[in-house]
Each structure stands twice: as C-alpha cells, then as structure tokens.
Amino acid sequence: MVRPLIAGNWKMNGLSGDSDTISQIARGLEGLDNVADCLICPPATLISKAADTASGTRLTVGAQDCHANVSGAHTGDVSAEMIADIGASHVIVGHSERRADHGESNEVIAAKAEAAFRAGLVPIICIGETLDEREAGQTIEVVSSQLAGSIPAGAFGKAFVVAYEPVWAIGTGKVASVDQVEEVHDKIREILGERFPGQADETPILYGGSMKPGNAAELLAASNVDGGLIGGASLKADDFLAIYGAC
Ligand code: 3PY
C-alpha cells in the first residue's frame, strides 16, 4: 500500500518573511494523525531556510525544478546536487508551466528526473493534457505518451512520484471530476504496472489542479489517488493543513 503524499507547490511566490508559513505547517502537522508524507516546494530562494525550519519535523522541503547537469555554464540554473545540498528531498519536474514557459520536452524532463536520482532526490514527474486535447478525446493518449517519455530509463527500483495535473484545471478554479480523475489515475497505474512490475503499487500518483479544502476529501478518496500536488491553497498554512487533514 503506497503511503500518500501531500505536496505544496508555491510556484513563484514567497519572500523571506513567508518562512513563517513553513513553521506554521510544521507545527500544525504535529496535531494531525501521521497518515501521509508532507512536502512544501517553495521557490529556490527559500529552500535552504525552509529546510532549516522544517528540520526535525514531519515536514520535508523540495524544489520546483532542476537542471539535468551536475554543474557548468548554465546561467540561472540550479542542479539537483545543489538542491540536495541545501536540504531538499524531492524535486518537481515537468510541471505544465515549465513545459509551456520553457518549452520542456519529455526528453528534457526525463533527463531532469535522472539527475534527481543521481543526486538522491525523489522526482515528482508531472503530466497532464490541455483543454484542447481533452476536448479532442486525446487525454489518455497524451498522458500515456508523456508518462512513457518523461520517466527515465533508470527509474526501475528507484523512488519517484507521478503527478497528474490537467492543464485546464491549473489556476482556472476548474477541477476535474472524480470520474475524470479515476479514469486517468487507473490508466497511469496500469502503465506503471506494465513498465515496472512489482513496483507500481509503491509509486504515489498525485492529483493536482485547483485542489483545495472544499474538494480535497472527495479527490483524495478516488481510486489510485495517493495524494495531491497543491498550488494556491499551499500558500496558506490553514488551507494546506486542512487538505492534509482530509487524507
Ligand atoms: C495547481 O494546483 O495550480 C498546480 O499547478 C499544482 O502544481
């Protein structure tokens, strides 16, 4: 049975003063049953401080992206090793905002996930269809090919997480229905089972896309949903803890 993961993606939000939210979440977890792992991925500028704040608590800290190389002439980029060095445990790769804003292909994302393994981080590999693709009836095809191309060859036997985030449900307030979520999550589990026999049941499959306290319980109870990747609602400790509490 896979242990659920409730992960927050702060995106490009947060200044040094917002580290208070990290301590509020860490403190709040102490009062809740230990039913799931809990992770916050703040912007790169806050990882070190957040990791110090979360140290010794049930909260862990991750990054939102990494470069595939260890080091070198890549101005503005941060390697998986650098992220691990400042206390992160996970790294999100292939979020649809990076696929769209930075033109990241499945091959680039697979290389980043491989870099995460190399550095001892757990990659959270994001996939999800656009509204046009869903309306054209291509959801399963798109998600299957993203999954095949974004999980690196070296993933067998390694810990990784898959996050299904329909692009049309990100930042729009629209949430996928339980039926829509289950159809895709069941398919992801099936594909993982074919590619990673014996390992598929240990890989958490998260739902992401406008998850909030009001809809979390229903989404988290859906089949093959092992947690959430939470955007805006992870910026407020109370909302994020309420989602954790819905596990
Ligand atoms: C959202 O819920 O908006 C996300 O993109 C989480 O990654």
Side-chain angles (χ1 to χ4, degrees):
M1 174 76 182
V2 61
R3 179 160 165 88
L5 170 66
I6 299 296
N9 174 11
W10 278 14
K11 308 192 179 184
M12 198 171 70
N13 295 292
L15 297 173
S16 52
D18 296 306
S19 293
D20 287 352
T21 309
I22 300 288
S23 39
Q24 284 163 17
I25 293 170
R27 273 201 313 275
L29 282 175
E30 283 168 26
L32 297 173
D33 290 342
N34 190 352
V35 290
D37 291 332
C38 191
L39 174 78
I40 286 286
C41 300
T45 48
L46 292 184
I47 293 172
S48 183
K49 195 170 179 192
D52 284 351
T53 305
S55 173
T57 75
R58 276 163 46 200
L59 181 64
T60 52
V61 173
Q64 298 173 17
D65 180 48
C66 66
H67 195 278
N69 292 5
V70 180
S71 60
H74 302 288
T75 303
D77 278 315
V78 176
S79 71
E81 282 75 7
M82 292 168 176
I83 291 163
D85 184 49
I86 55 172
S89 56
H90 291 65
V91 58
I92 299 171
V93 295
H95 191 284
S96 61
E97 287 155 7
R98 289 208 61 89
R99 289 179 187 258
D101 294 355
H102 300 272
E104 290 188 4
S105 63
N106 291 330
E107 291 71 25
V108 166
I109 292 155
K112 290 181 176 203
E114 194 72 69
F117 293 142
R118 188 186 63 220
L121 297 171
V122 178
I124 301 176
I125 301 166
C126 299
I127 55 174
E129 81 288 2
T130 63
L131 186 57
D132 283 353
E133 289 163 343
R134 173 159 286 273
E135 287 177 350
Q138 297 167 342
T139 299
I140 295 297
E141 189 189 324
V142 168
V143 163
S144 305
S145 106
Q146 287 179 337
L147 198 59
S150 307
I151 301 180
F156 189 73
K158 306 263 175 47
F160 65 92
V161 177
V162 173
Y164 168 57
E165 300 203 311
V167 180
W168 49 271
I170 294 180
T172 58
K174 285 187 192 149
V175 189
S177 69
V178 168
D179 284 351
Q180 288 171 325
V181 171
E182 287 186 338
E183 184 196 13
V184 177
H185 280 236
D186 291 352
K187 185 68 188 176
I188 294 171
R189 185 77 70 206
E190 183 189 314
I191 294 172
L192 290 176
E194 285 160 8
R195 184 160 161 195
F196 302 104
Q199 182 183 334
D201 289 342
E202 291 156 28
T203 301
I205 306 174
L206 312 185
Y207 170 77
S210 300
M211 189 184 275
K212 31 186 180 280
N215 59 28
E218 185 184 40
L219 289 164
L220 291 170
S223 77
N224 284 313
V225 174
D226 309 307
L229 182 55
I230 294 118
S234 68
L235 292 167
K236 292 197 186 122
D238 286 352
D239 285 353
F240 188 61
L241 289 165
I243 293 172
Y244 184 96
C247 247

